[in-house]
Amino acid sequence: LSGDPAQAFLSDGLTEEIRSTLARNAALMVLAGTTSATASEGGGDAKAISGKLGVGYLLDGSVQRSGDRVRVSTNLTNGRTGFSEWSESVDRKLDDIFAFQSEIARSVSDAMSVRMATDAPALGGTRNAKAYEAYLRGKALYNLAKNEDTDREAKANFEVAIAADPNFALAHAALSRVFASLAAQNAKASELKPLYSAAVQQAERAIELAPELADGHLALGYARFAGYLDVRGAKPSYEKAYQFGRGDADIILLYASYTVRARRFAQARDAIERALALDPLNPRTHRASGMIAYLSRRYPDAVAGFRQALRLNPEISTANAFLGNALMLLNKLQEARAAILAEKSDMFRLTSLAILEHRAGSSAAAQYALDALVAKLGDAAVYQQAEVMAQFGKVNEA
């Protein structure tokens, strides 16, 4: 309510922390953030919104910041009756914001007659206001899943958070994820090994600080798998992440993305369906659902997943390229070409385009796309070059 859009990260971050605290109780199913936020934008009363979401209760609130003071007002509404069950307003200094999440979650649980242990600070969290604020800014930027610039801004904020509190395990895990993301999508060849090495180091530090932190285990598994193609070595980390983070849609979808690449198709499908149930309006969840269907060779389902991701966020990275790949494998080459050409990532657009043109019988256009891939990305895209060579039938070159 402060009238400053730049402060939105504060309310978004506080909401996420409260949701995470509530989700630690196995007796509750807590809808994920993107879905709950998006569903409420269209208006409607509490009964209509709860019906759309399929939930029994709605927790809503507001945050108002003035200098170093923050006021948080919360209200719990019964979705079936539309009546308020409980409301409260709390004022704190920004330094005391960490007390909000356990205080509000505890109050909500009392109102719902659910016994919860929420007095402890969030696992892997911090009591340093500067660190927490930088972490929230970083998460808001990283969750955009937009481009290299926003990822690098996120990285800078996570580094500020760690400088302010070196024992902030969540910030170490988040920094690991952004290192790995930069390596996977944007790095030069010379940057790959240092970035993945840094991702492993930050994830191991997060686990050292908080051994049961799902985010830390997830970051370590992702770095080992994406950076070193170590499918078996990543498995224990992914299993622990899923064990400790079954209420977090983001953790579940990345677990599903790993299990499908390990060829555990039924397990991947079960996990992504759980993620979709928790976060059905998040474009990243639908992109993951599309990828899991694609790698399982369920191409019509893949097309549906990628198209839904793009409906929710037309700027989401890599979805157009993989939509084109799925359409190509359904022999819809014209539709596939249009999707691939809409992809903004050079790496994924040129890779898919080279393969498409080869399938369409245009050898010159296929070679042109491959040459452009090599010229633009060089050794940073040798994996993609191998994919293209394999599709060209050049097995030894691949």
Side-chain angles (χ1 to χ4, degrees):
L1 302 179
S2 305
D4 180 5
Q7 296 297 319
F9 76 91
L10 185 62
S11 55
D12 292 344
L14 180 59
T15 302
E16 186 174 331
E17 293 295 318
I18 294 168
R19 180 181 293 104
S20 176
T21 303
L22 291 169
R24 294 210 305 265
N25 187 328
L28 292 177
M29 284 280 287
V30 184
L31 205 64
T34 303
T35 291
S36 54
T38 304
S40 63
E41 290 172 358
D45 60 20
K47 292 172 71 174
I49 294 173
S50 64
K52 179 179 180 181
L53 297 175
V55 297
Y57 291 86
L58 298 174
L59 177 65
D60 64 277
S62 62
V63 180
Q64 186 167 14
R65 179 177 181 177
S66 178
D68 67 345
R69 301 291 302 183
V70 180
R71 168 172 290 181
V72 177
S73 299
T74 49
N75 180 67
L76 182 72
T77 303
N78 187 314
R80 289 177 289 275
T81 66
F83 289 107
S84 175
E85 299 261 340
W86 162 88
S87 63
E88 187 171 62
S89 183
V90 185
D91 288 278
R92 288 283 186 277
K93 283 189 175 182
L94 187 61
D95 286 348
D96 297 330
I97 196 169
F98 317 105
F100 281 158
Q101 69 190 62
S102 58
E103 184 173 343
I104 294 170
R106 185 171 59 250
S107 299
V108 172
S109 69
D110 290 342
M112 298 173 69
S113 301
V114 177
R115 187 172 181 271
M116 296 171 58
T118 57
D119 290 331
L123 183 66
T126 182
R127 294 293 185 190
N128 183 299
K130 180 180 178 182
Y132 186 62
E133 188 166 345
Y135 169 74
L136 293 182
R137 288 187 188 276
K139 284 212 72 172
L141 288 161
Y142 183 72
N143 286 339
L144 289 174
K146 188 177 179 182
N147 54 38
E148 181 180 2
D149 290 340
T150 52
D151 279 355
R152 291 199 179 277
E153 285 183 64
K155 171 180 171 290
N157 277 280
F158 294 141
E159 288 171 339
V160 169
I162 291 168
D165 181 359
N167 295 322
F168 190 178
L170 279 167
H172 284 285
L175 183 57
S176 172
R177 288 277 302 279
V178 80
F179 274 138
S181 293
L182 286 167
Q185 297 189 38
N186 307 112
K188 298 176 182 177
S190 61
E191 297 174 322
L192 291 174
K193 287 184 179 179
L195 281 169
Y196 279 122
S197 176
V200 169
Q201 183 181 11
Q202 290 297 326
E204 289 177 338
R205 177 58 177 156
I207 295 168
E208 179 186 352
L209 291 166
E212 294 187 0
L213 181 65
D215 298 71
H217 291 288
L218 181 73
L220 182 57
Y222 184 79
R224 283 176 172 163
F225 180 54
Y228 301 95
L229 300 181
D230 185 1
V231 180
R232 290 187 180 87
K235 182 178 178 180
S237 297
Y238 275 102
E239 295 293 349
K240 287 182 180 178
Y242 193 51
Q243 175 188 348
F244 298 134
R246 287 178 63 89
D248 187 321
D250 187 53
I251 286 170
I252 296 169
L253 77 84
L254 286 168
Y255 172 79
S257 299
Y258 164 75
T259 53
V260 76
R261 287 176 171 87
R263 304 188 64 79
R264 291 149 58 188
F265 299 121
Q267 206 168 342
R269 191 168 188 171
D270 288 346
I272 199 61
E273 286 177 357
R274 179 176 174 82
L276 285 168
L278 290 171
D279 206 5
L281 297 182
N282 188 336
R284 293 175 64 248
T285 311
H286 286 279
R287 182 180 63 181
S289 177
M291 183 59 71
I292 285 157
Y294 176 75
L295 294 171
S296 304
R297 302 188 181 187
R298 295 184 285 108
Y299 302 123
D301 291 342
V303 169
F306 292 130
R307 281 183 169 156
Q308 181 62 10
L310 289 162
R311 275 192 288 269
L312 292 167
N313 177 10
E315 299 294 318
I316 192 167
S317 62
T318 73
N320 273 304
F322 283 102
L323 170 60
N325 291 347
L327 289 165
M328 186 194 327
L329 290 163
L330 291 170
N331 207 32
K332 298 180 179 181
L333 300 189
Q334 189 171 348
E335 288 182 64
R337 183 178 283 104
I340 291 167
L341 290 174
E343 176 59 54
K344 293 184 178 180
S345 165
D346 289 337
M347 178 181 288
F348 292 95
R349 184 185 67 258
L350 292 169
T351 300
S352 296
L353 190 59
I355 295 168
L356 173 71
E357 296 296 1
H358 175 76
R359 280 182 172 252
S362 180
S363 299
Q367 188 62 46
Y368 183 82
L370 174 60
D371 291 344
L373 176 70
V374 174
K376 283 179 175 288
L377 295 158
D379 287 348
V382 288
Y383 185 98
Q384 287 71 27
Q385 291 172 40
E387 288 183 295
V388 174
M389 290 297 182
Q391 292 297 314
F392 283 9
K394 298 181 177 180
V395 178
N396 292 332
E397 291 91 332

